[in-house]
Amino acid sequence: MARATGANAQLLGAFETSYGTAPSGNFQRLPFVSCDLGAEQPLEANDVLGLGRDPAEPSRGVITVQGNVVVPIDLRDIGVWLKGLFGPPATTGAAPAFTHVFSSGATSLPSLSLEIGMPEAPRYFLDTGCLVDSVKFPWAASGKANATVALIAQGQSHSAASSSGTPTGRALRRFQQAMGVIRKDGATLGNVTGGELTYANGLAAVRTIRDDGKIDGCDLGVAACTGQISVRFADTTLLIAASSGAPVALTLGWVIDADRSLLIDLPAVHLPLAKHPVTGPAGIEARYAWQAAKPASGAFVTVTLKNDVESY
């Protein structure tokens, strides 16, 4: 019997028409770096007395299906995760240049069915009712540009055969950290050594009394967009902004060219005062842990993805 390996594992997905019901037809291949999405059901020790000191049979706890998928921040398939995070985009343009605008504030989110396949075993784990709770994006001077997607699913089943039909896929074109941009009020912010952004939907699983152990869904909480920017202390741009208490506009993302980019616009970002610690003879660095808030009008987070994909 062959052993399952990560090299041959595959992640396939499709958006659901009805929450928790896997769609028929062909799923889409989704590139990924790692995945720990799965079902867990703990054992609970028996609390009955009067049967002696030897332990009695344990009972089973509730089933939870959740986990993280680390995915490459790429030109095309990142739109699948953005749709799960924000809802369907507003799409304009014509082939081969389309613009997809994802905005915060949706009152409902689309769910996905995701299948993690391990063909050597063979065993295929189908997670249904997957909702995107949060996505974290990193910026760095070097290394891989990967996003961490946190998911909450309704249930999981597994079988020896795939449920994905004949999978389709898009060509992978990855954004590189060298393509990263961070702008304040429209101007490139200098001396940035790193940063991150996390958008979270604040999902709360709704657990009701039912005989299959599944959740009924997830309620949407108050969204949050937070992050941090690390800068070498070469000017007072962020220090003055933090001291004033007034929000600033930030744009973070990656750009290949005019028709291929991913940009996240935050019109009202609040910066805290931050220490400027001196830890040795090297450069002095400050880290600003910022929070985005709702502006006077419009969405508080807007993501613009430009690529050659017609629709999501």
Side-chain angles (χ1 to χ4, degrees), residues 106 133 199-204 218-224:
D133 188 22
Y199 182 91
N201 281 310
L203 297 182
C218 291
D219 288 341
L220 287 170
V222 176

Side-chain angles (χ1 to χ4, degrees), residues 27-296:
F27 282 33
Q28 179 186 332
R29 284 189 296 271
L30 297 171
F32 71 106
V33 176
S34 65
C35 176
D36 67 1
L37 176 65
E40 292 182 310
Q41 186 177 27
L43 297 176
E44 298 177 345
N46 198 306
D47 60 354
V48 176
L49 302 177
L51 302 177
R53 292 187 59 247
D54 290 344
E57 180 179 305
S59 58
R60 290 184 174 271
V62 297
I63 300 172
T64 58
V65 188
Q66 58 190 34
N68 296 329
V69 180
V70 178
V71 300
I73 302 174
D74 74 313
L75 181 64
R76 301 177 178 94
D77 289 318
I78 194 65
V80 173
W81 305 111
L82 290 173
K83 180 179 176 178
L85 185 67
F86 294 105
T91 299
T92 57
F98 296 94
T99 298
H100 313 279
V101 178
F102 303 84
S103 300
S104 61
T107 56
S108 63
L109 297 175
S111 60
L112 299 104
S113 288
L114 295 172
E115 183 185 81
I116 300 99
M118 302 173 189
E120 297 98 339
R123 190 54 50 177
Y124 297 85
F125 297 87
L126 180 64
D127 298 281
T128 53
C130 296
L131 293 169
V132 178
D133 188 22
S134 68
V135 177
K136 180 169 73 174
F137 299 94
W139 284 263
S142 61
K144 301 293 191 298
N146 296 326
T148 302
V149 182
L151 298 157
I152 300 176
Q154 186 189 41
Q156 183 185 79
S157 60
H158 57 87
S159 67
S162 174
S163 305
S164 61
T166 303
T168 61
R170 302 184 179 101
L172 177 65
R173 176 64 191 273
R174 199 169 188 172
F175 287 112
Q176 308 295 327
Q177 290 289 23
M179 303 170 182
V181 296
I182 298 180
R183 302 171 185 150
K184 173 188 170 291
D185 297 325
T188 298
L189 192 61
N191 299 294
V192 177
T193 58
E196 66 179 38
L197 178 154
T198 300
Y199 182 91
N201 281 310
L203 297 182
V206 179
R207 191 168 293 282
T208 59
I209 299 173
R210 47 190 293 170
D211 60 6
D212 58 6
K214 295 180 179 180
I215 61 174
D216 265 356
C218 291
D219 288 341
L220 287 170
V222 176
C225 188
T226 59
Q228 61 89 12
I229 294 177
S230 298
V231 295
R232 286 298 175 100
F233 191 38
D235 57 54
T236 58
T237 301
L238 292 183
L239 177 61
I240 292 173
S243 300
S244 72
V248 300
L250 288 182
T251 298
L252 304 94
W254 296 266
V255 175
I256 298 175
D257 55 36
D259 293 327
R260 296 176 295 177
S261 62
L262 172 64
L263 293 173
I264 305 170
D265 288 302
L266 312 168
V269 172
H270 295 262
L271 297 168
L273 286 174
K275 294 180 180 181
H276 294 72
V278 179
T279 59
I284 297 172
E285 189 167 281
R287 178 172 296 181
Y288 292 86
W290 53 263
Q291 297 181 28
K294 185 176 181 179

Side-chain angles (χ1 to χ4, degrees), residues 294-312:
K294 185 176 181 179
S297 61
F300 90 108
V301 179
T302 302
V303 181
T304 303
L305 175 62
K306 293 184 178 182
N307 59 22
D308 55 2
V309 177
E310 184 174 2
S311 66
Y312 288 99

